[in-house]
Amino acid sequence: MKAILPIALAALWAAPALAETDPVKIAAICTEAEERYAEIYGHPSADAEGVEVVLMYKYTFCPVEVEVPAGTTIRWVNVDKRTSHSTWFRDAGEPESERLFPEETAEQTFDIPGEWGYLCGPHWESRDMIGKVIVKP
């Protein structure tokens, strides 16, 4: 039994943490992300002109799911302090975006109605960092 416990603890330590699924914890992460955005850019993300902002923070897209009318441009903003992220509409056959390092952004305009699932290339398997864009006509 003594030999099994260190092995079990080592396995737990080495196992990657999955993305948060508790809505209350996600809300807390997204609140922190919004605070970081305002600290960096001097205004809330809702005040960004001509785009809908999705934040990348603590292996979470904030919001996880965003609904927009057709023709909307979404700007992903990495507000993490040390981690790079990407966006990858893999199921739509799109190539993965370049890595976004802290305070970098990427944009994409959505003209076709539908549901567009996407993921963070480096973190979708290890951290379950997945999001969705719902485009309404």
Side-chain angles (χ1 to χ4, degrees):
M1 181 68 133
K2 288 182 182 178
I4 294 174
L5 185 57
I7 293 169
L9 289 175
L12 284 174
W13 182 260
L18 293 178
E20 189 54 61
T21 57
D22 179 339
V24 173
K25 290 181 180 176
I26 290 172
I29 289 169
C30 291
T31 296
E32 283 181 37
E34 183 60 35
E35 290 168 359
R36 283 272 306 142
Y37 181 94
E39 178 183 306
I40 294 165
Y41 295 98
H43 59 81
S45 64
D47 290 352
E49 291 187 32
V51 297
E52 183 75 27
V53 174
V54 174
L55 304 176
M56 304 161 136
Y57 186 67
K58 293 188 176 180
Y59 307 105
T60 304
F61 290 110
C62 295
V64 174
E65 187 174 291
V66 62
E67 187 172 314
V68 297
T72 299
T73 297
I74 295 184
R75 177 182 296 150
W76 284 271
V77 181
N78 182 351
V79 294
D80 262 317
K81 292 183 179 181
R82 294 175 188 85
T83 305
S84 66
H85 299 291
S86 70
T87 59
W88 185 15
F89 289 84
R90 183 185 64 179
D91 292 345
E94 296 290 326
E96 180 180 357
S97 73
E98 291 189 22
R99 293 278 181 102
L100 301 179
F101 290 89
E103 300 182 27
E104 291 185 333
T105 67
E107 292 185 1
Q108 184 167 335
T109 300
F110 291 84
D111 294 319
I112 302 170
E115 292 190 7
W116 308 98
Y118 66 96
L119 44 90
C120 174
H123 301 117
W124 72 278
E125 284 184 298
S126 63
R127 303 286 185 137
D128 202 29
M129 189 172 175
I130 298 171
K132 183 187 287 186
V133 177
I134 301 169
V135 182
K136 296 294 182 180

